[in-house]
Amino acid sequence: MKRLLLYLIILVSLTGNAQTFTGRVIDKSGKPLVSASVVAKGDSGFVVAFARAGQDGHFSLTIPQGKEAKSIEFLMMGFGKMVIPLKDYENGQTIKMQEQAIALKEVKVTPQRIREQGDTLTYSVAGFMQKQDRSIADVIAKMPGLEVLPSGTIRYQGKAINKFYIEGMDLLGGKYAMASENLSADKVKSVQVYENHQPVKALKDIKFSEQAALNLVLKDEAKNVWQGVVDVATGYGDEWLRDGRLLEMVFGRKKQSISMVKANNTGKDIEHEVTDLTQSDKTAPTEDGILENISLGAPSLDARRSKFNDTYIAATNWLFKTKKDDDLKLQFTGLYDRNQQKQDRKTVYLDADSAVITEEQTAKSTRSEWQAELLYKANRDNHYLSNTLKGYIDFKKSEGLSMLNGCPTPQRVEPRKRYIVDNFELINKLKNGQSYSVTSLFSYNYLPGTLLLTNDGTQQITQQMLYWNAYAYYQHSIKQVKVTWQAGFETKTQWMTLNSKDRYSEYQPYVEPSLSYREGAWTISLNGRLNWLIRQYHETHSQDLLVEPRLFIRYSLTPKLDISGSYSYRWTPSDITTITRQLYYTDYISCQQGSGQFENTTGQMASLGLGYRNVMTGMFCRLTSGYSNLRDAVIYHSQLVNNVYIRQATDFRQNRETYSLSGSLGKSIFLAKLSMTLNGSYSWTNYDLLINQSLARQHTRNGRASLRFSLKPTRWLSIEEESAYHYSHQSMTNALQSWNHELKLFLLPGKWQIEWTNELYHSNDKSVSTNYFSDFSISYRTKTFEAGLLCSNLFDTCNYHRHYTTDYADIMVFNQLRPREFLMRLFYNI
């Protein structure tokens, strides 16, 4: 608690009193001067604060605490500069600027790579694109402040985006990797970032967002026309290889569509393109299955080096604008995947008297998934209506053989999952500035599964969940403060059928008042949920009255620098998998038994962040510190019995604390199209482990630092490099350090492209091998056609060792990698 108070004291001290001046800038006819510069200057002309006039000419200029201004200057191209002593400035006054012709000196003009207007940043694709870039995701990854993760997730200033638009339309929802990784970069004019984006127009200035959205602005020749891609590759390694895609798309004002068919068995991950990459609190949750297909884990290398797959995807996405400019959207996705895995593993269970299990595993898995979504949405300034209906069904099966501590042990698992989700939301704004909303979130989940056990027995398990959350709110204003009164009812029922049928239910009537304030440099949001939680498990009942407060504060020290902090307290009831007394297996050698009583966890989280961005210099940076505390979680007694790792709930409870520090720095330089990103993070966690029937305080330390840059020193040469350092230490094991380096060289004479990729992995652990990989490709490219040849893993590096630790285990892994492979590729842009 002392640490929490310290965080809040720091936050308050850094957001102390500051002066804010407001006003409006117009021309002689009374028209607002949009983007007029407002500058506060101190002694010797030193700039103290800066702001720009908005669409209506209004501005808000905040002078940070400790700074002293002498005057305010107003500047606008084509108008004479106005200077007003600060002592003579009347807050809220209107400034009328006079037109004035300006004689421009001869200058050398260079294209502006990033522009800023209000809360919108516009990145020029031509300013960052290099000749080797194919998809728009390749270019986005080079833009400072933006990051593209291997999963396809796009982040801005360290936070995942909440929307991905194409020409202002939300075609794909969370499955935006379908566009970012398949839309050709030369079809996109610019990438826009909408900072603090609230996607619901009726909630603008009512509910504030800390996430950004991305919008692709297409070139004129890419609008309102059908276009497509045919891309095929074939070759040989240990077997016949194939990689192909057929893509069609259209982006119009009233209709957008992307449809594709893909097939791949070269190790390339294409599954994430049909995965939802966004998280929303306006959707009903779905149940996680206890059983899953056999997964032996991937090494910390490019996934295509260790993945033996055969994947097929079919997807179609349609968005129509109605006569009233509403959205009607249909998405359908089908996925079929077969994969093979082979791995040797040695696991030391730290919480089970350091018992050891060795496994030599081979496994084959198949997965078939089908999902559909139908959306209708009316998003207007005074009215919002949305209804989303989703359905999902899969068929999964895995079979394998494991040499478990030298004993041949067959494996088989057949997990299944089906669900249906419906999300409805209605918001209406009234004429007096007040508004009301009604929301309903519903889901039903059915998850049957079969698992073969080590004793040749079979576990048949079925999970079900029924969830519904309905609430309404009324919003009004008290001066500058937005007040929202929300009330609702949330219920969740879970069933687990094993040897018998367990049922667990939650019923939560609740109220959730909230306050929102945004004025000048300040943004403050405070809300607290008051729950009356009623729980039932068999014949046992409980009732709890809960209060869960959340606070967020942001203060803009200058237009380029802001500080933000947050705090939240959570009281979370545990679900049926923690409560049930039935002993259930999660895989063929791991089982778990709950406490048989109601469980919950409590937690506090606090964060403090400092963000800086300078569009003119192309610099973006972020520094964030965090603290989290988790209490009351069940601690399990673990033991190894007949090669089965058994975890049983005890009367001990967990006290876990985590501290973290992370930072990022992105910089672009016009010279040689240099883009550079530096990331770093470090976290330390203290937690309890049950060893020999007593709690032992443990710790883990994890750190990561990475540097990524790209540059084009000449027209015919491009370089991309990324290096990463990893550190981990668990108190019962030795510290581990590892390094990854990837260097790509591109020779680009004329229409030819020669690419040489080098990847190196090494570690301080002498028992772990050093791995080096090299790929080489050559291709001939025109605007509509490409032909090329690729050789991957030139030196046929086929084995990989990895050593890592978790909270409970020390693990040594030996992976089989893909061999040397050759591919011939043909690409045609229709």
Side-chain angles (χ1 to χ4, degrees):
M1 191 65 186
K2 292 181 179 179
R3 296 186 181 92
L4 173 61
L5 291 174
L6 179 60
Y7 265 88
L8 295 176
I9 290 171
I10 293 174
L11 177 61
V12 172
S13 66
L14 289 174
T15 57
N17 295 327
Q19 287 182 293
T20 299
F21 296 90
T22 62
R24 188 167 184 254
V25 186
I26 60 174
D27 63 12
K28 64 181 181 180
S29 64
K31 293 182 179 180
L33 294 181
V34 181
S35 296
S37 298
V38 184
V39 183
K41 289 188 176 182
D43 294 328
S44 303
F46 180 76
V47 176
V48 174
F50 173 85
R52 288 189 184 276
Q55 294 293 325
D56 55 1
H58 285 95
F59 67 88
S60 177
L61 179 71
T62 300
I63 300 175
Q65 182 186 16
K67 302 286 187 177
E68 184 178 356
K70 299 294 185 182
S71 63
I72 299 181
E73 295 185 1
F74 300 88
L75 305 98
M76 184 74 178
M77 182 68 72
F79 291 82
K81 180 173 71 173
M82 292 185 63
V83 181
I84 301 177
L86 194 63
K87 61 183 179 62
D88 297 332
Y89 184 79
E90 296 181 5
N91 210 16
Q93 76 179 78
T94 298
I95 306 300
K96 183 179 294 186
M97 300 186 69
Q98 301 297 321
E99 294 185 13
Q100 178 179 315
I102 300 175
L104 298 177
K105 297 180 179 179
E106 184 178 351
V107 295
K108 181 180 179 181
V109 178
T110 58
Q112 191 175 0
R113 303 174 80 188
I114 311 174
R115 291 183 292 106
E116 177 184 12
Q117 185 172 5
D119 287 338
T120 300
L121 303 183
T122 301
Y123 294 78
S124 166
V125 171
F128 292 93
M129 182 177 173
Q130 298 187 18
K131 191 175 179 181
Q132 71 271 15
D133 294 328
R134 290 180 169 84
S135 71
I136 189 59
D138 296 333
V139 184
I140 292 173
K142 295 180 173 65
M143 295 174 173
L146 290 166
E147 183 181 8
V148 181
L149 303 183
S151 65
T153 300
I154 298 175
R155 299 197 301 194
Y156 173 71
Q157 289 286 68
K159 296 180 181 179
I161 62 172
N162 61 5
K163 288 292 181 181
F164 184 96
Y165 299 109
I166 302 174
E167 286 292 315
M169 296 170 65
D170 182 14
L171 168 64
L172 298 168
K175 300 176 183 178
Y176 57 78
M178 227 181 297
S180 63
E181 300 191 11
N182 290 287
L183 183 59
S184 178
D186 59 15
K187 298 182 183 297
V188 183
K189 179 181 178 181
S190 60
V191 175
Q192 294 181 325
V193 173
Y194 301 149
E195 296 182 310
N196 308 315
H197 178 62
Q198 172 53 262
V200 179
K201 295 178 182 178
L203 293 180
K204 188 178 180 181
D205 298 326
I206 296 176
K207 289 191 176 182
F208 309 132
S209 172
E210 288 305 300
Q211 292 177 283
L214 220 64
N215 180 48
L216 302 185
V217 180
L218 304 180
K219 295 179 179 177
D220 291 340
E221 60 266 26
K223 301 177 186 178
N224 298 303
V225 294
W226 284 97
Q227 50 196 306
V229 169
V230 178
D231 189 359
V232 294
T234 186
Y236 191 80
D238 281 348
E239 60 180 359
W240 173 52
L241 302 175
R242 55 198 177 276
D243 184 7
R245 61 173 172 157
L246 179 62
L247 194 73
E248 68 80 26
M249 62 191 95
V250 64
F251 306 106
R253 297 180 61 184
K254 292 295 183 179
K255 178 178 69 177
Q256 289 191 355
S257 173
I258 293 181
S259 298
M260 71 177 186
V261 176
K262 283 195 170 189
N264 174 280
N265 71 341
T266 65
K268 182 181 178 182
D269 176 21
I270 59 175
E271 300 172 31
H272 70 269
E273 295 182 19
V274 292
T275 301
D276 194 331
L277 302 175
T278 60
Q279 295 180 346
S280 172
D281 59 354
K282 294 297 181 65
T283 184
T286 57
E287 186 78 308
D288 293 325
I290 290 174
L291 301 181
E292 276 298 338
N293 265 353
I294 298 172
S295 177
L296 304 184
S300 55
L301 301 169
D302 191 319
R304 62 188 172 87
R305 302 204 182 275
S306 61
K307 187 174 183 179
F308 293 82
N309 70 307
D310 192 6
T311 309
Y312 302 85
I313 288 177
T316 185
N317 307 268
W318 295 84
L319 174 61
F320 300 95
K321 286 287 187 180
T322 68
K323 292 181 179 180
K324 295 182 178 180
D325 205 34
D326 299 339
D327 290 353
L328 180 62
K329 182 165 67 175
L330 173 66
Q331 291 184 297
F332 178 81
T333 302
L335 166 69
Y336 179 79
D337 176 70
R338 295 195 304 265
N339 72 76
Q340 302 180 46
Q341 303 172 80
K342 183 176 181 180
Q343 184 183 91
D344 297 347
R345 176 192 295 254
K346 177 183 177 182
T347 304
V348 180
Y349 293 101
L350 304 175
D351 60 344
D353 299 324
S354 295
V356 178
I357 277 186
T358 60
E359 300 168 89
E360 299 177 23
Q361 300 183 76
T362 58
K364 295 182 178 180
S365 299
T366 60
R367 179 163 56 102
S368 177
E369 297 180 356
W370 304 89
Q371 50 187 316
E373 177 178 330
L374 180 64
L375 164 72
Y376 177 81
K377 181 171 65 178
N379 191 5
R380 303 166 196 161
D381 291 335
N382 296 316
H383 175 76
Y384 179 81
L385 173 66
S386 174
N387 192 86
T388 304
L389 179 64
K390 299 179 183 179
Y392 172 92
I393 185 170
D394 68 25
F395 302 90
K396 299 179 182 179
K397 181 179 180 180
S398 293
E399 293 181 329
L401 178 66
S402 174
M403 293 297 294
L404 181 61
N405 284 341
C407 179
T409 305
Q411 297 184 65
R412 187 177 73 250
V413 61
E414 295 183 8
R416 299 284 191 268
K417 183 173 184 177
R418 295 95 169 86
Y419 67 75
I420 185 168
V421 172
D422 186 78
N423 303 312
F424 171 84
E425 184 176 14
L426 169 67
I427 302 173
N428 272 326
K429 267 189 173 181
L430 306 177
K431 293 182 179 180
N432 54 10
Q434 302 172 1
S435 63
Y436 67 89
S437 172
V438 178
T439 301
S440 172
L441 311 175
F442 169 86
S443 72
Y444 173 71
N445 301 253
Y446 177 68
L447 298 88
T450 303
L451 175 67
L452 180 66
L453 308 179
T454 56
N455 60 5
D456 294 330
T458 300
Q459 173 182 274
Q460 299 279 352
I461 187 169
T462 300
Q463 296 172 256
Q464 297 177 77
M465 183 185 77
L466 182 64
Y467 175 90
W468 185 48
N469 184 9
Y471 60 88
Y473 74 69
Y474 171 73
Q475 183 274 325
H476 64 99
S477 300
I478 301 177
K479 294 186 177 181
Q480 301 298 322
V481 179
K482 305 290 185 181
V483 183
T484 303
W485 303 95
Q486 180 172 309
F489 182 81
E490 182 176 5
T491 178
K492 180 176 75 172
T493 300
Q494 294 175 300
W495 294 268
M496 178 188 290
T497 304
L498 194 56
N499 300 319
S500 60
K501 190 171 185 178
D502 271 5
R503 171 175 170 163
Y504 168 73
S505 299
E506 295 176 4
Y507 308 95
Q508 296 188 66
Y510 64 89
V511 294
E512 187 172 348
S514 63
L515 305 175
S516 300
Y517 173 81
R518 176 180 287 177
E519 182 68 23
W522 288 93
T523 299
I524 302 174
S525 177
L526 172 66
N527 69 316
R529 176 163 165 163
L530 178 63
N531 299 322
W532 180 25
L533 174 62
I534 304 169
R535 295 189 285 177
Q536 180 180 353
Y537 176 64
H538 291 302
E539 302 303 320
T540 307
H541 298 77
S542 76
Q543 299 185 39
D544 297 279
L545 188 62
L546 312 172
V547 179
E548 297 176 297
R550 291 185 292 271
L551 171 67
F552 173 80
I553 299 176
R554 183 179 67 233
Y555 177 69
S556 298
L557 299 169
T558 71
K560 299 182 180 67
L561 182 66
D562 68 78
I563 185 170
S564 61
S566 66
Y567 167 79
S568 65
Y569 171 83
R570 292 296 303 271
W571 195 102
T572 307
S574 300
D575 68 6
I576 195 170
T577 60
T578 303
I579 295 173
T580 181
R581 288 294 297 170
Q582 296 191 79
L583 188 69
Y584 61 89
Y585 282 75
T586 56
D587 59 45
Y588 81 118
I589 59 168
S590 303
C591 65
Q592 181 170 307
Q593 185 178 38
S595 64
Q597 60 189 21
F598 295 120
E599 299 289 348
N600 67 271
T601 60
T602 60
Q604 300 180 78
M605 291 190 297
S607 67
L608 189 65
L610 190 67
Y612 174 82
R613 62 175 181 79
N614 189 325
V615 174
M616 297 301 294
T617 61
M619 178 175 286
F620 294 74
C621 59
R622 187 82 187 170
L623 181 65
T624 305
S625 63
Y627 167 77
S628 65
N629 174 278
L630 178 69
R631 295 181 181 272
D632 303 323
V634 173
I635 290 182
Y636 293 86
H637 171 253
S638 303
Q639 56 182 331
L640 195 65
V641 179
N642 296 326
N643 291 333
V644 176
Y645 177 57
I646 303 174
R647 301 177 74 234
Q648 294 174 300
T650 69
D651 292 332
F652 294 101
R653 295 297 177 264
Q654 179 70 265
N655 178 20
R656 184 185 186 93
E657 291 184 318
T658 299
Y659 307 84
S660 63
L661 184 66
S662 63
S664 64
L665 172 65
K667 182 74 171 74
S668 69
I669 300 175
F670 185 79
L671 180 66
K673 282 193 174 182
L674 174 63
S675 294
M676 178 177 61
T677 301
L678 178 65
N679 288 300
S681 64
Y682 186 75
S683 66
W684 53 103
T685 301
N686 302 319
Y687 63 100
D688 296 314
L689 206 60
L690 186 62
I691 301 176
N692 296 325
Q693 299 302 314
S694 62
L695 292 182
R697 197 65 173 166
Q698 303 290 310
H699 70 255
T700 58
R701 306 288 187 263
N702 292 285
R704 187 180 189 275
S706 66
L707 171 66
R708 183 180 74 247
F709 71 85
S710 66
L711 74 157
K712 186 178 180 181
T714 67
R715 295 182 61 185
W716 52 268
L717 174 64
S718 287
I719 302 170
E720 295 180 8
E721 201 278 340
E722 182 171 5
S723 291
Y725 165 76
H726 302 263
Y727 170 85
S728 65
H729 181 227
Q730 203 276 347
S731 50
M732 297 175 65
T733 65
N734 295 323
L736 297 174
Q737 302 178 68
S738 62
W739 294 262
N740 285 73
H741 311 279
E742 186 179 53
L743 175 65
K744 295 182 179 180
L745 300 176
F746 301 89
L747 300 178
L748 308 164
K751 296 181 179 179
W752 290 92
Q753 177 174 312
I754 301 171
E755 179 179 348
W756 183 23
T757 300
N758 302 271
E759 186 175 359
L760 176 67
Y761 172 89
H762 56 104
S763 170
N764 70 326
D765 188 346
K766 302 304 179 183
S767 63
V768 175
S769 58
T770 296
N771 293 89
Y772 171 69
F773 303 92
S774 186
D775 304 332
F776 182 83
S777 68
I778 182 171
S779 60
Y780 179 83
R781 295 178 63 183
T782 67
K783 188 174 182 179
T784 59
F785 173 79
E786 179 179 352
L789 182 66
L790 164 69
C791 177
S792 60
N793 197 4
L794 277 168
F795 300 106
D796 203 21
T797 305
C798 293
N799 298 314
Y800 173 86
H801 288 81
R802 182 187 180 201
H803 187 186
Y804 66 97
T805 60
T806 68
D807 288 354
Y808 308 104
D810 184 50
I811 302 170
M812 179 72 75
V813 175
F814 173 85
N815 284 91
Q816 179 184 355
L817 304 179
R818 297 184 70 95
R820 182 189 300 116
E821 296 174 337
F822 297 90
L823 277 176
M824 183 176 67
R825 180 171 183 257
L826 294 174
F827 169 89
Y828 188 70
N829 193 356
I830 302 174

